[in-house]
Every structure is written in C-alpha cells, then in structure tokens.
Amino acid sequence: MPSDLLEISDLIVDYDVATLQPRPVSREAVVARLMANGQRSAARFVQRLPASNDTLDFEACSLALLRSHIELQRLSEEFLQADRIRCVLLPLLQALRDSGVKPPLRIVDVGCGLGYAVRSLAAHGRLGRDVEIIGCDMNVTLIENARRLAEEESLSCELRVANAFQLEQPGHIYISTGVLHHFRGNDLSAFFAGQRQGHAFVHYDIQHSVLSPWGSWMFHQARMREPLARHDGVVSARRAHPTQTLLSAARAATGFTCASLDGARNLLGAMLRPMSATVGTRAELWEPLQRHLGPLRARLGPTS
C-alpha cells in the first residue's frame, strides 16, 4: 500500500479556483486513479456514486460530503477543537491590538466546511466586539447548511462561498482545522503563500505519528457511520505532515516567524495530543504573542 494515500473527498468534486464553479469529474478516471493507488475499497465506493455519461453527480457527491462533515463535527466537539483554537486566538488578537492594527480584526477560517469552528467561536469564543469571524469554503452545499445552523442560533459570523485568499478585505488571522494534510509540495507552499497578506495564522491538523492511523481507525470505527467519513478519516491520519515539513513550507512561503504548538516529542505526547498546530506571525508580532500566551508558551516548539 502506498504511503501517500488518496482521500475520496479530494477526488469526487473539483472547482475552478478563479470562478468557484464546479468542474465535471469523471467517475471512471477517479476509480482508475484509486485502483492504481491500491485503494480498492475506495474505488468501489466511488463506482457506486451516481453519474451521468461518466460525470459524477455533483449534488450527490456534495450530499455525501455533507453527511461526512456532520460526523466530523462530532469529532471536533469531542476533541474540544474550538477551545484549542480560542486559546491561541485570544493572545494573537491582543498582540494585534497592541501593535496598533485597526479594527475590525478579521479571522478567516480556510475550508470551513460546516463552519463548526466559526460557529463555536461566535457563540462562545468571547473574542471581542472588534472581531469579525468569516468562514470560507468552495462547496455551496456545506456553506448553505453552515449558514442555516448559524441563523438558527442567531450567531454573529459570516459564511461565504469563497476563496479565503481572494477576499476583498483580507483576513488578519487565518485558521483551519484538518486542512493542511490535503496539500502536497507546491500546493502546500501556495496555501501558505496566500496568507502573506495577513498578519498571522493558526492551522490545526492531525499529529504526525506512527500511532495516529491506528488511533484514527479505532475512533472512526467506533464513532463514524458514513463510509466516506470512515475512509477519509483514517487516510487523513496517514497523510498528516511531519512538523518540520509544515514549518519549512510556512517559513519559506510567508517569511513569518513560525513554530509548532503541541507538536509531539515522543509517542506518549502523540497519544495525549492528537492535534497540533502550525502557528506563524509577522516577525514584530512574535514577542507580543509569546507574552500574551502565558503558560501556553511552554507548549510552543522552536522557531528554527
């Protein structure tokens, strides 16, 4: 089995990044790619998806993604992911205020999906009245449902069908959860390069460890019911980047001062902290950030 497995969700929908319009996806091409990669069960799943003249039905694929994201929200809830993000955002926002950045301070969630982090931060983050929280995703179905959930709770946040790096008013802080492992090579560099326009970023993803795939498999077998969620959840753990890969890409693409937060130094650390964050700021913000982090500062790795 190849080490660089493919996630079904990355293959069954495609978008023009300029227009955000969906592009047709050939079912047989996806099946062939998965078979060539040795992922037979994934290929069988795709083969069962509705298609017309070999073009995958976009609505059916979007609904499959929606069902998976509903289950992924449960994962984020159980891992207290919004609290993890908030603990870094609060000192980051204070560092921005201290540096004289004029409000509103914009937090942009890249690839927000159902907007769990955005909605949770809006509901419970206590980030300040000078903060705007914006979630961006290219999938219309996910954003429509995210908006519905936000409206039901009367939350003060925005959820947009948009490229997070092409907003009319760029973000000051970019965040994401479970996004980094989707990118490889030049695509990973481009992901970070899009954030040079901002002041800082906090990107959480699965901890890279030999134990992560096993832990992910057990959790998804016990807690997930959707075949797509079960498959991609385990593959995500296999695709997680080593800390140094992420830091090297982030530093080269942005010129920011960067470090890992909660990066595991041993197997026990990986078991206790299944998620770690790649944190970066403009150079002048790094010292204020560390000051405002307080005890959390001890969980930052080296900056070089």
Side-chain angles (χ1 to χ4, degrees):
M1 182 71 70
S3 59
D4 207 10
L5 297 174
L6 302 170
E7 293 186 61
I8 296 171
S9 56
D10 287 338
L11 303 177
I12 60 176
V13 293
D14 190 22
Y15 301 92
D16 184 310
V17 295
T19 66
L20 304 183
Q21 293 300 307
R23 295 191 287 210
V25 176
S26 164
R27 181 171 63 183
E28 289 308 312
V30 174
V31 169
R33 189 174 176 187
L34 289 166
M35 290 293 288
N37 210 45
Q39 296 176 248
R40 295 180 180 275
S41 62
R44 288 194 295 270
F45 174 87
V46 174
Q47 189 66 61
R48 293 193 295 268
L49 291 173
S52 176
N53 296 323
D54 188 44
T55 298
L56 283 168
D57 185 293
F58 179 75
E59 183 176 352
C61 291
S62 293
L63 289 174
L65 291 173
L66 174 60
R67 292 192 297 270
S68 293
H69 274 265
I70 291 171
E71 293 202 327
L72 286 172
Q73 176 168 306
R74 183 165 65 239
L75 175 66
S76 292
E77 290 169 347
E78 296 191 5
F79 282 178
L80 302 176
Q81 188 57 33
D83 287 340
R84 295 172 191 266
I85 299 171
R86 181 179 60 83
C87 287
V88 188
L89 284 179
L90 287 173
L92 255 181
L93 289 166
Q94 194 56 52
L96 286 173
R97 295 181 184 109
D98 290 352
S99 70
V101 176
K102 294 182 179 179
L105 305 177
R106 288 179 295 277
I107 299 170
V108 177
D109 189 355
V110 186
C112 69
L114 270 179
Y116 167 74
V118 170
R119 291 183 287 108
S120 295
L121 290 170
H124 308 296
R126 300 179 294 281
L127 301 179
R129 295 182 181 274
D130 59 343
V131 175
E132 293 180 351
I133 311 172
I134 304 164
C136 297
D137 203 288
M138 295 186 187
N139 189 289
V140 175
T141 301
L142 293 177
I143 289 295
E144 285 178 346
N145 281 272
R147 286 173 179 163
R148 175 181 57 80
L149 292 168
E151 288 169 3
E152 287 177 357
E153 297 185 57
S154 300
L155 299 176
S156 179
C157 59
E158 291 185 57
L159 293 142
R160 304 181 187 177
V161 179
N163 183 327
F165 306 135
Q166 294 180 2
L167 301 178
E168 184 176 343
Q169 294 180 306
H172 293 98
I173 304 173
Y174 291 91
I175 65 173
S176 72
T177 301
V179 169
L180 292 177
H181 67 267
H182 289 281
F183 299 102
R184 289 290 187 271
N186 292 336
D187 291 336
L188 182 63
S189 297
F191 174 84
F192 282 113
Q195 297 164 70
R196 283 196 296 256
Q197 60 192 314
H199 291 68
F201 55 74
V202 182
H203 297 298
Y204 270 94
D205 208 349
I206 302 166
Q207 187 91 246
H208 176 78
S209 163
V210 295
L211 296 178
S212 294
W214 295 101
S216 180
W217 181 85
M218 287 188 289
F219 182 91
H220 284 78
Q221 287 295 313
R223 304 291 287 133
M224 302 296 183
R225 295 295 174 264
E226 285 295 320
L228 178 56
R230 281 186 168 186
H231 175 273
D232 279 9
V234 178
V235 171
S236 295
R238 288 281 297 271
R239 288 176 59 87
H241 290 291
T243 297
Q244 197 53 50
T245 297
L246 294 173
L247 293 176
S248 295
R251 290 165 183 154
T254 64
F256 286 9
T257 302
C258 304
S260 175
L261 178 69
D262 284 342
R265 295 176 175 84
N266 50 51
L267 290 180
L268 178 60
M271 292 174 63
L272 295 176
R273 291 174 179 159
M275 304 286 286
S276 64
T278 303
V279 180
T281 74
R282 293 184 181 183
E284 66 273 17
L285 291 173
W286 191 253
E287 190 280 329
L289 168 62
Q290 291 192 87
R291 185 171 67 251
H292 289 298
L293 276 171
L296 196 60
R297 176 180 177 177
R299 287 157 60 179
L300 276 176
T303 57
S304 61

